[in-house]
Structure formats: structure tokens, C-alpha cells
Amino acid sequence: MQIIIITAADANYFELVRGTILSVREKPEGENVAIGFFDLGCTPEQLQWLETQVNIIKKPDLDFDFPGKNEAPHYLKGLLARPFLRSYFPDFDIYLWIDADAWVQDWQAVELLVKGAAKRGLAVVPELDRGYYLAYGKLSWYWEFVYRDYQAAFGEEVAQKLHSYPTINAGVFALHKNAPHWELWAEYLAQGLQQHVSLMSDQIALNRLVYGTALFDTTEMLPAWCNWSCNFGLPVWDKQRGCFVEPYLPQEAIGILHMTGHKHDLVKLATTDGDTIEISLRYQPIQPKKMRVQAQSETANNTLLPAGDYISPGLKIILPDAYFPNMIVGDTQTCPWPYLRREIPHNWYVDGRASSVGFLSRDEAHILYNTALQFSGKTALEIGCWLGWSACHLALAGVALDVVDPLLEREDIRQSVIDSIQGALNASGVQTTVELIPGYSPQRVEEFANQFNRKWSLIFIDGEHGGDGPLNDAIVCEKLAEKDAIILFHHLAAPDVAKGLNYLKEKGWHTVIYQTMQIMGAAWRGNVEPVAHQPDPNIAWELPAHLQGYDVSGNSQKTSEISYKKMNINTPI
């Protein structure tokens, strides 16, 4: 029996459909299954990736004539092509459709859909379950919603007759090549489109043919875990099994998770052990190698590290690179910032989508990670996370992390941060919380602290690097730090950033400098200590004038002043 799984997406939905496809391909049963794809407007780069994962790519047409056809949105082609899958992808026995915002967690759902289609012709999942809120006082409201859809497409009589039937979700279904449903689905869809065009047109037509004809007897109704609609009820997280499950006993694993209503943000879920967890509902790809974590003493020559990286001896190493697929070694000459220490030969990592903005170097990220390990289970604050490289290292240390950054207002950046952090946490098995808070520091930091009565044991300041921004961050963080606390700074090569460290030193905090690519620093008070660090011995380190007088970790003598000429501060880039 020849089976094909089909999905569709445009460029905006590519990251979602990537998860759909990988959730099939990364399972033993799905390695060799045929996958068909409707290209609704993907970029050349996206299509290049798709060609490595799917068997057939097609561009669907609008196979119907209806009022407003020429103005119809492009994605409508993917919905209206579904009654014609046999024409686009001929010579298969079972056609299994999965929407781009759904993914396969447990292959049993695929097997049941295929078995149901082979048995009766059509296998579908009604939007009805004891775990859905609709069953508890909301049905009358939902029936009104469905009634309007039926009425708009097929009139009053059909709406009166069918609106109270449990709606069949058309986002996941399986159809046998010889099933009688194909032609009637196309016929009803053609009728409905003459009256009303919407995202639900194909679904309403499918429901009419199942409930309004004798084809109900040739349709297999499957349980909700074969197509779990998250907008009607969130699943529960099983920590032991590491999967999403039904809310109620026996808490079967969700087979296909349909992220309706929850495609983008982290959601708070109950867990099977009575706890809660903040987690993304998106598919987390399996990486070719597990994330590697080990003490440096186990690898005398840093054989784990890419060429051009350095990590101080004695620090525990963690490599979450697989969860930052766009991270590359950048060209320091493309960065317009005058305080970038281009003379330091360590890798300068950037995101390929914005290659003029750097991440923490490998050494700097490990100062951050190893410092955070001391505070595992305690609260930490990060001001400025960019695309999440530093936040990921903090979270992997097990701190309860709050992140404040105005760029988190942007959906693309926020989702990228979520995907990277959640993927790394899932792979490592670390259980912690990460709160992403869009807004500007210090105002948003104070608001959040007051709202939730929050103080922090570890604070990482990597936000505004100019003017009084770093100083103002230090002032507010000094008030909101716990009695035993460490505050870390990045980019101390910039004089304005050093104002924040100077302020804490004047307030009586202990301080130290780390000689790294962009210079880090720590201020601490109470019963805590910063991590020890040995600068790369292959580099003749120097210190800019505004940091003279600070102790340097790993150095017994003060380093010499570096000239402004050598720093190229006044040289246009």
C-alpha cells in the first residue's frame, strides 16, 4: 500500500512546516515515506531545503471559479486543492494531509489514520473530547459560530440540520484513492464558494458531505489524540516520557499536535506530576549529535571546540550550537561599532540574518554559564538578549531566567529565541523557566520587579552600550539584586558600559575584569564569588585606559594601557 503525506506552506509558515516535515522524517517509520508539498510562495532558499526532505513539490492552482477569485489570497490555493490531491500526486493508495501548524509526536496516529482510510475510505478527527473546554458550558456558543459558517455557504436549511454535529477538523485527514468522498467534496466546495469564501470553506464542505449524506457510514471517526486541537484545550506535559499527553487519565500520548491558537508563544502547561512548565508547542528537531557538556579537564587540548575558539581551563563546557542554525563566524570588518576588538583572533559569532551584530564569544558565554551554575534554581535577570545565545547559556545552567529586551516585541526575534532555548533545554533535560519580557530597561525591569515582587541573585547587563544606559541599568539592578548577588557586564571595551561597573565599585561591590574578546566584568557582594578565568595565553592582552586600576582575573599584574590609535576608535569603518 503506497502512502503519501502532504502538507503546504508559504514563506511565512515555512518554520512551522519545517517542523511538520521533520516530525515525520526524524522517526524511523517516516524516513522513507513519500512526502508531497504544495509551494504557496516559499523563498528559493526554503525550497532548496525542502528539496532535501520531500519527494514531490507542486504549485497548486485555484481549481474553482467563484466570485472574487482573482483577488483571493495565495494561501487559499492550498485549502482548495485538497479534493484534488490524487491529480497533483498520482499513483498513491492513501493520501494523508497534515496542516503546516501540526506535527507528528507519536506515529500511532499516522498508523490509525492510514488504517481508518483503508477500512472505510475517509479517516478524520471530530473536534470533541473530554479535555476540550467546549464540553463544559461552551457548546451553545460554538454552535452559533458553526451555524454562521454553514449558513453563509449552504443556506438556512443546511445550517439548521448540521450545526450541532461535532465539527470535523480538515487540518488532518486520510483518504483512500478509491473513496467516494473526493468527487462530492469538490462538488460541495464548488457550491459553497459561490456564496461565501473563507478559511473554513473546504472544512464546511467536508462536514456537509460526511454528515449530510450516506458517506457518514464510510467515514472512520478517530480519537482526539490523532489531531489534538490546542485552541480547544491545551495538552499536559509528561516530564518522565518527555511528551505532550491528554489532560485526563490514562493520559495517552498526543499523536498529532495541532497548534491551533498557539503557534508562536511559550505556553504554561500543567505537568503529570502536578507541577507547571513554560514550553513551546512547536516540534523540536532532533539534532545529529546530543548537546555536549563536560569538564574541560576531560579534554586537554579543547578538542571539542571549533578552530578559533578558546575557553578558560577549569570551566565546564556546553555547546548548544545546534539550536542556533543561523550562527556563523562573522567578519569583524562589517561591524560599524568602534569598540569591537578586531585585534583579538577569537571567533566573532553572529547570526547570518543580521551579520553586523555579534554574540558573546565562546569564552564569554562560558564565563556566563559557569557563573550561572552557582545560582541554579535561583532567579536571574538578563538585560538585552539579542537572538538568545547568552540567554540560552543562562537557562542551561538551571536559573529561573527573566529576560528584558525591546526586540522581543518583534515576532520573528521572539520566536527565534523561543525555538533556540526550548530546543536546547529539551535536549539537555534541564528543567527551568524562561520569561521573555519585551520592553526597555531600566523602566521595564522596575515594572516587572514591582509587579511580581522580584529580586535577582544573578544579573547580566548587555543592553544599551552608549550614553547613560549602562549606568542606569546598574543603578536599578543594584537596588533589585539579592543580598548575595553577582552582576556581570559585557562589552566593557566601551567606556560608557564601564560607567555601570564603576558605579557598583563606588557603592562598595567587589569587582574584577575578564580579559575576553569584548571584555567582561563582574561585581559581587555577600556570600558569593565570581568564577576564576585564565585569559588566552597566546594573546598579548592589553587594557583600555578607562579600565586601568581594575584587577584582571588570572593576572597577577596590572595590564598595560592600550593606545586609542591601536584600538582604531577614531578610524571610520
Side-chain angles (χ1 to χ4, degrees):
M1 186 165 56
Q2 297 296 311
I3 300 163
I4 184 169
I5 296 174
I6 303 167
T7 188
D10 60 8
N12 294 327
Y13 265 56
F14 173 74
E15 285 304 319
L16 286 171
V17 86
R18 181 174 177 270
T20 307
I21 293 166
L22 289 178
S23 76
V24 172
R25 280 285 180 250
E26 292 184 342
K27 292 179 175 58
E29 305 93 334
E31 286 181 351
N32 299 312
V33 71
I35 299 180
F37 182 77
F38 278 138
D39 173 19
L40 305 179
C42 293
T43 67
E45 294 78 13
Q46 292 168 348
L47 287 170
Q48 187 176 10
W49 181 87
L50 286 161
E51 287 169 356
T52 70
Q53 300 292 329
V54 308
N55 302 86
I56 308 169
I57 298 176
K58 296 282 188 177
K59 278 188 171 290
D61 298 317
L62 280 176
D63 297 293
F64 300 93
D65 287 320
F66 54 88
K69 175 180 178 178
N70 294 334
E71 293 77 39
H74 64 277
Y75 56 77
L76 200 62
K77 293 179 180 179
L79 299 174
L80 302 186
R82 291 193 273 195
F84 307 102
L85 296 181
R86 294 179 300 178
S87 300
Y88 287 102
F89 307 97
D91 303 323
F92 291 93
D93 299 305
I94 301 291
Y95 295 82
L96 199 167
W97 177 276
I98 303 179
D99 273 357
D101 61 346
W103 58 273
V104 179
Q105 177 179 251
D106 191 315
W107 199 259
Q108 289 187 74
V110 174
E111 292 177 343
L112 206 54
L113 282 155
V114 171
K115 184 177 180 180
K119 177 184 177 182
R120 292 185 185 264
L122 171 65
V124 292
V125 181
E127 294 175 342
L128 186 66
D129 187 80
R130 63 207 164 99
Y132 290 173
Y133 72 83
L134 292 178
Y136 307 100
K138 301 293 184 180
L139 278 176
S140 60
W141 163 82
Y142 187 64
W143 287 344
E144 290 179 9
F145 175 78
V146 176
Y147 183 95
R148 290 195 294 270
D149 280 335
Y150 275 119
Q151 185 184 47
F154 299 115
E156 188 74 22
E157 183 178 350
V158 173
Q160 287 283 1
K161 180 181 178 182
L162 302 181
H163 76 277
S164 62
Y165 284 69
T167 302
I168 293 166
N169 187 289
V172 175
F173 65 86
L175 256 172
H176 192 277
K177 66 177 181 180
N178 296 326
H181 305 72
W182 296 102
E183 291 80 7
L184 195 55
W185 191 4
E187 180 182 331
Y188 280 159
L189 186 49
Q191 291 179 19
L193 289 171
Q194 302 309 309
Q195 307 300 320
H196 183 65
V197 179
S198 77
L199 286 172
M200 297 297 170
S201 293
D202 66 303
Q203 181 166 291
I204 288 296
L206 180 65
N207 276 260
R208 183 183 177 187
L209 79 88
V210 170
Y211 293 131
T213 73
L215 294 186
F216 179 81
D217 293 331
T218 59
T219 301
E220 189 73 26
M221 298 290 186
L222 299 180
W225 57 262
C226 289
N227 179 17
W228 188 269
S229 296
C230 292
N231 60 315
F232 295 130
L234 289 170
V236 167
W237 180 253
D238 189 317
K239 294 180 183 177
Q240 188 172 1
R241 287 185 282 172
C243 68
F244 298 102
V245 300
E246 297 175 300
Y248 296 113
L249 293 173
Q251 295 189 308
E252 296 284 349
I254 302 297
I256 294 178
L257 191 73
H258 203 157
M259 298 177 289
T260 46
H262 298 278
K263 296 176 180 60
H264 304 297
D265 293 328
L266 293 173
V267 295
K268 289 185 178 180
L269 297 185
T271 63
T272 51
D273 62 0
D275 198 1
T276 60
I277 187 173
E278 193 167 22
I279 193 170
S280 171
L281 295 178
R282 289 192 177 195
Y283 178 70
Q284 304 302 328
I286 299 171
Q287 301 301 327
K289 294 182 180 179
K290 293 290 284 185
M291 184 162 47
R292 296 165 291 184
V293 184
Q294 67 184 82
Q296 178 145 342
S297 59
E298 299 172 14
T299 169
N301 297 315
N302 263 344
T303 55
L304 278 176
L305 302 181
D309 279 347
Y310 170 83
I311 296 176
S312 171
L315 297 183
K316 181 176 285 189
I317 296 174
I318 194 163
L319 300 176
D321 301 37
Y323 305 95
F324 292 84
N326 297 299
M327 190 175 75
I328 58 174
V329 177
D331 179 358
T332 57
Q333 299 306 313
T334 66
C335 177
W337 198 51
Y339 301 105
L340 183 66
R341 302 218 291 181
R342 294 168 180 81
E343 72 276 10
I344 306 301
H346 293 164
N347 288 333
W348 182 61
Y349 287 109
V350 300
D351 189 286
R353 297 167 293 182
S355 59
S356 64
V357 181
F359 289 152
L360 274 69
S361 71
R362 187 77 66 182
D363 196 24
E364 292 165 344
H366 280 78
I367 292 172
L368 187 64
Y369 171 66
N370 282 264
T371 303
L373 285 173
Q374 304 178 55
F375 299 97
S376 181
K378 296 183 179 180
T379 56
L381 169 69
E382 179 178 34
I383 298 175
C385 76
W386 182 212
L387 284 163
W389 175 246
S390 52
C392 185
H393 284 79
L394 285 166
L396 288 169
V399 296
L401 180 61
D402 300 315
V403 181
V404 174
D405 193 318
L407 289 174
L408 292 170
E409 290 279 7
R410 282 181 49 178
E411 182 58 34
D412 58 337
I413 290 180
R414 181 183 181 86
Q415 190 57 55
S416 183
V417 172
I418 290 172
D419 290 344
S420 295
I421 294 177
Q422 193 61 59
L425 289 174
N426 286 347
S428 68
V430 174
Q431 296 289 331
T432 191
T433 60
V434 179
E435 187 80 27
L436 300 181
I437 308 155
Y440 289 89
S441 177
Q443 299 88 344
R444 190 68 183 96
V445 171
E446 285 191 292
E447 291 172 2
F448 184 82
N450 293 333
Q451 183 179 359
F452 295 99
N453 194 29
R454 186 85 94 226
K455 284 197 170 186
W456 293 280
S457 297
L458 174 63
I459 298 172
F460 179 47
I461 297 177
D462 193 23
E464 181 62 47
H465 300 323
D468 290 331
L471 174 60
N472 291 333
D473 286 339
I475 291 171
V476 72
C477 289
E478 199 268 341
K479 294 187 298 182
L480 296 171
E482 293 282 8
K483 180 180 178 182
D484 301 319
I486 292 179
I487 299 177
L488 290 173
F489 290 82
H490 186 227
H491 282 304
L492 283 169
D496 286 337
V497 177
K499 293 177 184 177
L501 186 62
N502 294 341
Y503 171 81
L504 294 175
K505 186 177 183 180
E506 293 168 1
K507 297 288 286 186
W509 290 59
H510 305 287
T511 56
V512 71
I513 292 292
Y514 295 112
Q515 272 285 24
T516 62
M517 186 173 186
Q518 284 308 112
I519 310 181
M520 290 184 69
W524 73 97
R525 69 183 180 191
N527 190 29
V528 293
E529 289 185 359
V531 298
H533 175 263
Q534 177 61 53
D536 187 343
N538 296 313
I539 295 176
W541 295 97
E542 295 178 298
L543 207 63
H546 63 272
L547 293 177
Q548 294 298 313
Y550 278 100
D551 290 333
V552 177
S553 183
N555 281 11
S556 58
Q557 298 178 342
K558 299 286 194 299
T559 52
S560 62
E561 179 174 344
I562 188 168
S563 70
Y564 283 99
K565 182 178 180 181
K566 185 172 182 180
M567 283 286 289
N568 292 321
I569 288 176
N570 296 317
T571 303
I573 298 172

